[in-house]
Amino acid sequence: MKLTFDADVEEFRAEFVAFLDANLPTEAEAGERPRSSAHVPEWARRWQRLQFDNGWLLPGNPPEFGGRNASILQQYVHLEELAKRRIYHSFNPQGLGIIAASLLSFGTEEQKRDWAARILRAEITAALGMSEPGAGSDLAGLRTRAVLDGDHFVVNGQKVWTSGAHDADVLLTFVRTDPDAPKHQGISVLLVPTDTPGVTRRPFASVCAEDDLDFNEVFFTDVRVPAANLVGELNQGWRVATGSLGHERTLLWLSFSDRLQDLLEDFRPVTELDRDHYATLVMDAQALRLLGSRALAREARGEQDVASLSVLKLLGSEAVQNAAEHALTAAGSGGLMHPNTTAPYTPWNLDNFSSSWFERYVRSFAGTIAGGTSEIQRTIVAERVLGLPRS
């Protein structure tokens, strides 16, 4: 098999490459690093707006939302070129990939204009309020309540693991609006500005580093949210939730493929066992790329295969984790040390050139949790790919 693209896709790629060559921020311009996944330094805001204005932010979107109505294959080569340079089109990934995308799918025209467009233009940043202390992977178990009171909802409850919440301007928040409905029903979605009275955000460190403040606890105490901030229909939030995660997963396998390739380039096998592990990981990387390409071709033909995304997510996230684990084991105690690298600092290199193998290993667990845990993916594969009974 030879994987190639038609002339129109390669012309699209060449145009984007020319844009990058002419407009990428220099190291001097881009000195400030983001401090969380919802903190976008001013230089990065300018970079994101430039992409938006030229249709390169999310090419699959219409022009008024930062794109150029690109095909799925054109969107693929766009991400491929970004990955080659290890650069980001936004430092608020959940804002673009989940929240703005969900608003464009389920929001009103006013929400698209007042919230989605501003997120895409980096005028504001957003965080995703899904997980709770008792409802992590099981979103349907959430308890945060919202009661309609006139033209406002009154919200009470708590979220946790809310990445970037302390720097975000708005939270896409999943709440229970009908406590008597079955578990997967009675859920609604609200846009909650973080400066609303009663919203408290508490960032906390991760296992990776004490200064890695991205996770948050978020508390809602009698928070009044305009009813106009309801996204989608009342009590139909599960539909928004599955759509939100669908946006996150569509080309997620490509990011795992790129991360796996980065790990393989940095890992140097020494012993026979190291070489055996390395060969397995190379095969995993090739399998992921080929399976992803097949899924991409199906989507380009207009065929829907949601279950295949679970296969790709499961394979990609666990292959990255296995690669990091083997590299850490091979490095021994040296895996706890920061690598001695001559690679130049750039603001794009947030992980690889500044992290020990231990840090890269523990960070890999995010990939097997975010966007649906490996256990959830295995259930989907069992039922929808293998046809096994739910029991």
Side-chain angles (χ1 to χ4, degrees), residues 69-144:
N69 294 314
S71 69
I72 187 64
L73 295 179
Q74 291 172 329
Q75 294 174 57
Y76 173 86
V77 298
H78 169 263
L79 292 176
E80 192 174 50
E81 291 302 321
L82 289 173
K84 283 180 182 178
R85 292 162 174 78
R86 290 184 173 180
I87 61 177
Y88 306 100
H89 55 321
S90 172
F91 286 101
N92 183 212
Q94 69 273 20
L96 264 67
I98 302 177
I99 298 162
S102 297
L103 291 174
L104 295 183
S105 295
F106 300 101
T108 64
E109 292 305 313
E110 290 76 14
Q111 289 171 348
K112 295 176 185 178
R113 181 193 66 229
D114 296 341
W115 296 102
R118 295 176 66 203
I119 293 169
L120 293 170
R121 285 183 54 81
E123 295 172 1
I124 59 175
T125 62
L128 183 64
M130 275 189 169
S131 297
E132 298 184 4
S137 300
D138 182 19
L139 176 65
L142 67 85
R143 295 184 178 181
T144 296

Side-chain angles (χ1 to χ4, degrees), residues 153-172:
F153 286 95
V154 180
V155 181
N156 285 278
Q158 179 186 355
K159 298 292 179 181
V160 73
W161 315 114
T162 313
S163 299
H166 59 303
D167 287 315
D169 298 294
V170 65
L171 305 174
L172 186 71

Side-chain angles (χ1 to χ4, degrees), residues 31 54 154 163 167 169-170 184 191 202 215 276 285 303 314 355:
N54 286 274
V154 180
S163 299
D167 287 315
D169 298 294
V170 65
H184 288 78
L191 285 163
R202 296 179 184 171
F215 290 143
D276 184 61
E303 301 172 9
L314 180 63
S355 301

